[in-house]
Amino acid sequence: MKTPVNCPPWKIFFQGDRTLLLTLDGPVSVEGGRLCALAANALRAAGLPGATDVVPAFNSVAMHFQPRLFGPSTSFKNLAGEVVQILEQLATGTDAPTGRSVDIPVCYGGEHGPDLQDVARACGLSEAEVIRLHTDQPAYVFMLGFAPGAPYMGMLDHALDIARRTTPRTAVPAGSVAIANRQTIIYPHTSPGGWHIIGATPATLFFPEREPPTLLAPGDTVRFVPVDADEFKALSSS
Amino acid sequence: MSITVIKPGLLSSFQDLGRHGHQHLGVPVGGAMDVRAHRLANLLAGNDEDQASLEITLKGPQLRFDAASCIAISGADLAPALNQQPIPNNRPVIVQAGDVLTFGTRRRGLRAYLAVHGGFCLPCVLGSRSTYMRGTLGGLQGRSLRANDRLALNQALDSTQAPALSEALWKIKVYLPALLGNTHRRDVRIIAGPHADRFTPESWQQLLSADWRVAAQSERMGYRLDGPVLNLADTRQLLSEGTSFGTIQVPADGQPIILMADRQTTGGYARIAHVATVDLPVIAQTMPGEHLRFRDISLGEAQQLDHEREAAFERLFRGVADIRTLLGDAARDVVPRSELP
């Protein structure tokens, strides 16, 4: 789809024949992320017939839908028109909260954060300063992806701007809290990964038997709360 | 009332229309790779389309029924046989207690779908009975079949009625719309993606002219293709965005990957094109080692084709009303409906 529909600040494309993609220009920012979460919440709440999933990311929202056999058509023109109407109403009231505020306990360094020392050295900081910068400012949840419940959060302080590890690990333990490119993530289960692990959380991120099934959702704000190894152990077993 | 797994086959897992509505929480959709064949099998077994079916890959299982039931198999022709007598795909077939269903050597396609009337009795996890094996989620304990598994059924047929039922079913003419049958087209129809113009013009031409070999590592998450290297003209880093069933993404090595049922919900590689929904079953029925070619069509054409197939399903649903009535009258719930998971 080469010619998008313009609805400033959004551009609306088709991605294949069953997905509408709304994109923002510019670099990653919490403001852009908030706008995506607000748009996604509004589109989901609108309950457009046939729409199955609305997926916000850093500066985009994907809306997946099924063809409608009866009633309004799912042609690009028609669907984009319905989306534009919802986005236009959104333009006012963008101060609205996009999600909840969630505290996540993290045990930094040591066996739980094997890369804390390296990160401190690479950023010219002490380990305590790295922890302070990671906990001082709440982190915004841009999107969940990679695995069920896995959050991408940011933006971290400029002092913590560090590229990904040159060699990814083949197995990062579940619960690992890691940083790269001023963002921070939590690995919900053991998986390969190339981010710097500075700590670990005993919190569970995905509960398939619950609804909603995840601790976090796009638009939430996370405050990392430092805990020591004993507290980590106690929280893990509770 | 159940089916006993004598041999599990190469890879047999329960799938349905997918786990929709949780992608923003990172939960993949999953579901049948060939959704068309899954729906077909269900409709021909007198079910609604959302019952789970067994997705059977390449080498089928051996299954013993301990109650009378009605089954239908669609998708790949894996030479199914009941008590060693060949049975056709795309027909409702009555089975009796003690009957053994086997599969032989693949004739065509890769994935067959087995539906039973009334459905398999499986817990619904986040709105779906499909198996997400990477996440050990849904279906039968989140995994594929193993020998000695017992697969519980929601309903069974009265065995004394089975012969008469079989005869009555055989008399019902099922008109299968051509749009719903297996297509063995060599050129898969695609639509240009939002990042198509980030690639060099030569790369776009190569995408359309090359004979792409399906690589060995192709599975439910994605199909990897071997062929000419596709190059980006614009190498600026992309941000992760929502992905779609059929997205053709190109990682740094220039070899395209078609995202399939178990795809991650978001991805950050350049998306050169998207497979038209109507041709996704062609990919799902293609084996590693076989070849694919692409042909680009407009979004309008793709949506028209998608819509025509949906309309054909609507016609088939009405066309098999007699099968539903016949089986509905003869079937009894094994578990009271109120206790279904």
Side-chain angles (χ1 to χ4, degrees):
Chain A
M1 189 66 216
K2 296 242 165 77
T3 39
V5 166
N6 260 305
C7 174
W10 300 96
K11 283 200 185 84
I12 306 174
F13 298 86
F14 243 78
Q15 169 169 294
D17 49 24
R18 289 187 175 191
T19 306
L20 210 56
L21 189 67
L22 289 60
T23 63
L24 294 173
D25 281 332
V28 180
S29 69
V30 171
E31 293 68 38
R34 277 177 46 82
L35 194 53
C36 291
L38 280 172
N41 290 346
L43 286 167
R44 207 174 293 121
L48 296 179
T52 55
D53 284 272
V54 182
V55 188
F58 295 100
N59 60 359
S60 69
V61 180
M63 190 174 87
H64 304 284
F65 59 90
Q66 302 282 322
R68 302 167 185 163
L69 260 195
F70 309 105
S73 95
T74 38
S75 71
F76 180 46
K77 205 177 144 202
N78 183 74
L79 208 58
E82 291 175 50
V83 166
V84 164
Q85 278 191 4
I86 294 164
L87 293 178
E88 278 170 351
Q89 284 170 9
L90 190 72
T92 58
T94 39
D95 291 340
T98 53
R100 303 153 304 155
S101 180
V102 182
D103 284 359
I104 292 190
V106 179
C107 181
Y108 289 94
E111 58 168 319
H112 296 299
D115 296 335
L116 179 63
Q117 210 175 6
D118 288 349
V119 168
R121 197 178 307 126
C123 298
L125 301 165
S126 69
E127 291 183 24
E129 282 170 318
V130 172
I131 296 170
R132 185 180 59 75
L133 289 172
H134 196 253
T135 53
D136 257 9
Q137 231 179 345
Y140 175 79
V141 180
F142 287 100
M143 69 170 202
L144 271 57
F146 174 63
Y152 286 78
M153 299 163 282
M155 299 298 289
L156 301 180
D157 194 280
H158 285 277
L160 288 180
D161 198 354
I162 181 170
R164 274 188 270 188
R165 287 165 56 91
T166 41
T167 315
R169 286 185 171 87
T170 51
V172 174
S176 293
V177 176
I179 66 169
N181 302 319
R182 293 185 58 209
Q183 290 177 28
T184 183
I185 57 172
I186 305 171
Y187 291 91
H189 51 71
T190 305
S191 52
W195 295 43
H196 305 270
I197 306 168
I198 60 168
T201 178
T204 303
L205 298 180
F206 182 57
F207 322 86
E209 69 287 354
R210 284 198 212 160
E211 190 66 72
T214 54
L215 178 66
L216 300 171
D220 285 350
T221 302
V222 167
R223 211 165 52 101
F224 295 107
V225 181
V227 296
D228 62 29
D230 289 340
E231 289 172 294
F232 179 93
K233 204 182 264 177
L235 287 166
S236 299
S237 55
S238 67
Chain B
M1 299 296 158
S2 60
I3 295 174
T4 302
V5 178
I6 302 168
K7 285 184 187 169
L10 181 67
L11 176 67
S12 313
S13 69
F14 288 108
Q15 299 297 340
D16 62 11
L17 299 173
R19 193 164 273 117
H20 296 280
H22 297 89
Q23 285 194 73
H24 64 295
L25 302 177
V27 182
V29 176
M33 287 281 276
D34 182 347
V35 183
R36 169 204 59 106
H38 159 85
R39 294 167 72 182
L40 208 49
N42 262 332
L43 290 181
L44 294 168
N47 291 336
D48 287 335
E49 295 176 351
D50 58 359
Q51 288 289 354
S53 69
L54 189 66
E55 181 178 274
I56 295 165
T57 316
L58 184 61
K59 199 170 167 289
Q62 256 185 48
L63 306 172
R64 188 179 59 238
F65 290 79
D66 77 0
S69 183
C70 176
I71 63 168
I73 300 166
S74 295
D77 183 350
L78 303 181
L82 198 60
N83 304 327
Q84 290 163 8
Q85 293 301 307
I87 55 169
N89 270 17
N90 298 328
R91 284 290 316 183
V93 175
I94 297 291
V95 296
Q96 288 279 23
D99 282 359
V100 175
L101 177 67
T102 53
F103 294 84
T105 306
R106 172 185 92 106
R107 296 200 188 99
R108 237 174 184 188
L110 176 58
R111 295 180 167 91
Y113 293 81
L114 167 70
V116 298
H117 180 71
F120 294 95
C121 184
L122 295 164
C124 204
V125 179
L126 300 173
S128 166
R129 294 177 175 81
S130 62
T131 317
Y132 176 50
M133 286 170 272
R134 255 193 189 73
T136 324
L137 192 73
L140 184 74
Q141 300 160 25
R143 59 168 174 81
S144 58
L145 295 197
R146 289 180 193 154
N148 301 319
D149 277 339
R150 291 177 77 89
L151 317 175
L153 304 179
N154 290 328
Q155 294 191 331
L157 298 176
D158 177 350
S159 60
T160 59
Q161 285 185 41
L165 209 52
S166 192
E167 208 166 305
L169 276 176
W170 202 245
K171 283 180 190 151
I172 296 177
K173 287 267 180 291
V174 180
Y175 166 69
L176 190 64
L179 287 170
L180 303 185
N182 286 350
T183 43
H184 299 283
R185 43 184 320 123
R186 291 293 307 279
D187 55 336
V188 169
R189 290 164 288 194
I190 60 171
I191 314 152
H195 302 145
D197 47 17
R198 282 177 163 252
F199 289 83
T200 60
E202 299 77 49
S203 289
W204 175 253
Q205 283 313 316
Q206 278 174 328
L207 178 70
L208 296 177
S209 60
D211 216 10
W212 295 97
R213 185 177 174 277
V214 175
Q217 318 88 301
S218 300
E219 34 81 46
R220 283 185 46 85
M221 193 168 173
Y223 266 50
R224 290 170 180 272
L225 304 179
D226 290 335
V229 171
L230 304 181
N231 293 306
L232 284 163
D234 179 348
T235 53
R236 275 174 302 163
Q237 185 94 35
L238 288 160
L239 291 165
S240 282
E241 293 177 339
T243 57
S244 304
F245 197 168
T247 291
I248 305 177
Q249 64 176 24
V250 184
D253 67 0
Q255 297 292 278
I257 300 171
I258 309 174
L259 301 183
M260 299 298 284
D262 283 352
R263 67 199 173 277
Q264 290 180 359
T265 53
T266 56
Y269 293 123
R271 283 156 277 157
I272 193 167
H274 302 273
V275 176
T277 298
V278 74
D279 280 349
L280 286 172
V282 179
I283 315 260
Q285 296 297 354
T286 302
M287 291 264 295
E290 294 180 338
H291 288 76
L292 293 169
R293 294 180 77 93
F294 296 118
R295 177 161 71 86
D296 69 326
I297 60 171
S298 70
L299 170 63
E301 280 175 88
Q303 290 199 312
Q304 179 64 30
L305 290 163
D306 194 17
H307 197 271
E308 282 167 10
R309 177 167 286 168
E310 291 305 309
F313 265 115
E314 190 61 29
R315 284 201 303 281
L316 180 68
F317 182 79
R318 290 194 302 269
V320 295
D322 289 350
I323 296 178
R324 274 196 302 279
T325 309
L326 204 61
L327 293 172
D329 289 346
R332 296 288 167 265
D333 288 352
V334 174
V335 186
R337 281 200 176 268
S338 56
E339 288 172 29
L340 285 181

